[in-house]
Amino acid sequence: MSQAPIITPITLRGAAGKLAAWEVEPPAGTERRGTALLVPGFTGSKEDFEEMLPLLAAAGYRAVAYDQRGQWESDGPDEVSGYTLVDFVGDLLGVVDQISPTEPIHLVGHSFGGYVSRVAVIERPQRFRSFTLLASGPSSVADINFPPPLLVAQAVEAGGQEVIWEQMDAVMAQADQQPAPQRREFLRERILRTKKANIIGILTCMAEPPVKDPAVLRDSGVPLLVAYGDTADLWAPEVHERFAKQLNAKTAVYHGSGHVPNEDVPAQVSADLVAFWKEQA
């Protein structure tokens, strides 16, 4: 019987210092099908994919996730100027070159991680075998259930990371989705340890669509998948569906899931990714 895949902490290099990451290798004897990179979103981290990474590895994929600059356990500058979309994209492309110097990889971007990822795909499409937008809609300024990003940035500037935590905690309480005490403490600590400049920088990035014309991403030649939950996501299902049509992308819908299907239904998301990736073999 083959051993279950094990998550291994690794350190990657970013332009602003070390990037904390997790890596899972396929079990011995499993056919190796390639490498997958999963990129977390706003206030997220590699832990957002904790349940998915071993499942992807069991299917034959070396799976890697990392904290973006200034998130959780990764280094990052203290100045907001060090958190432009160019900075995030540069880190992502550097990570790709570190984990797979010659072979193209499968890329998954969750929420803001999808913003960063779509720019990377446009800049260097030859480095990607596929790209999945996971709960990552077209923009954060229209057709989204989120306050104007620059207004949130002003609140964080005045009140610090605690402002974001209080908002998140209130939303979970109103939705009757309060996590277990240990999980709640992790979520709080992660936000408080994420650099204030990271949070304000990402919110500033979110004030503009990452790609103004979907045709640019569509015409990259990289196979695309738009995957999303149909309940209480930041973007309504019809927004995701319209975006997918503009991109000529396949879709995967998670009924009853919200903005984090990677945590709500990790087995289903993983199975859909594997099926999509096998089509690109």
Side-chain angles (χ1 to χ4, degrees):
M1 180 180 296
S2 62
Q3 185 179 10
I6 298 174
I7 292 175
T8 302
I10 62 173
T11 300
L12 299 167
R13 300 183 306 278
K18 73 174 181 67
L19 298 174
W22 280 351
E23 174 186 47
V24 187
E25 294 276 1
T30 303
E31 178 184 358
R32 300 179 71 90
R33 299 179 179 274
T35 297
L37 177 63
L38 294 83
V39 186
F42 178 57
T43 72
S45 67
K46 59 191 176 302
E47 283 79 4
D48 295 343
F49 307 107
E50 183 172 5
E51 299 295 327
M52 290 180 56
L53 295 175
L55 297 174
L56 299 175
Y61 297 90
R62 177 189 176 207
V64 179
Y66 71 100
D67 301 346
Q68 297 201 65
R69 60 169 53 203
Q71 280 184 333
W72 185 218
E73 295 178 322
S74 282
D75 291 340
D78 293 324
E79 301 79 22
V80 175
S81 60
Y83 295 92
T84 68
L85 201 54
V86 171
D87 295 315
F88 288 113
V89 172
D91 284 343
L92 190 158
L93 292 173
V95 166
V96 172
D97 288 341
Q98 289 170 68
I99 66 175
S100 185
T102 58
E103 296 296 322
I105 69 163
H106 296 288
L107 181 63
V108 179
H110 175 246
S111 197
F112 177 74
Y115 285 28
V116 178
S117 296
R118 68 190 75 171
V119 178
V121 168
I122 290 168
E123 288 191 4
R124 293 176 63 188
Q126 71 277 9
R127 298 297 284 122
F128 303 100
R129 293 173 65 181
S130 75
F131 172 38
T132 298
L133 288 151
L134 180 60
S136 184
S139 82
S140 295
V141 292
D143 295 327
I144 184 173
N145 183 25
F146 191 85
L150 293 182
L151 288 182
V152 181
Q154 291 174 7
V156 175
E157 181 66 52
Q161 297 93 315
E162 191 73 36
V163 169
I164 295 294
W165 167 247
E166 290 172 354
Q167 290 181 351
M168 179 185 292
D169 199 36
V171 168
M172 291 188 296
Q174 290 172 2
D176 197 24
Q177 295 177 341
Q178 197 67 265
Q182 185 175 0
R183 173 67 176 171
R184 182 177 181 274
E185 182 54 33
F186 164 74
L187 295 174
R188 180 178 182 275
E189 183 180 2
R190 179 172 67 178
I191 288 179
L192 296 184
R193 281 185 52 183
T194 292
K195 286 184 175 290
K196 179 179 177 180
N198 164 281
I199 293 174
I200 296 174
I202 290 179
L203 288 164
T204 303
C205 292
M206 288 165 56
E208 293 285 341
V211 178
K212 291 182 172 61
D213 184 0
V216 180
L217 180 57
R218 181 195 67 206
D219 295 341
S220 68
V222 177
L224 304 174
L225 174 68
V226 172
Y228 58 94
D230 67 354
T231 305
D233 189 9
L234 296 179
W235 295 271
E238 55 268 25
V239 175
H240 285 296
E241 185 65 31
R242 182 172 65 247
F243 193 34
K245 289 179 179 178
Q246 292 173 330
L247 295 173
N248 195 26
K250 293 197 168 188
T251 58
V253 184
Y254 304 106
H255 301 294
S257 178
H259 189 55
V260 286
N262 43 303
E263 297 182 56
D264 296 339
V265 287
Q268 188 177 351
V269 176
S270 299
D272 286 341
L273 289 176
V274 169
F276 177 55
W277 295 344
K278 286 182 177 179
E279 293 175 2
Q280 321 312 324

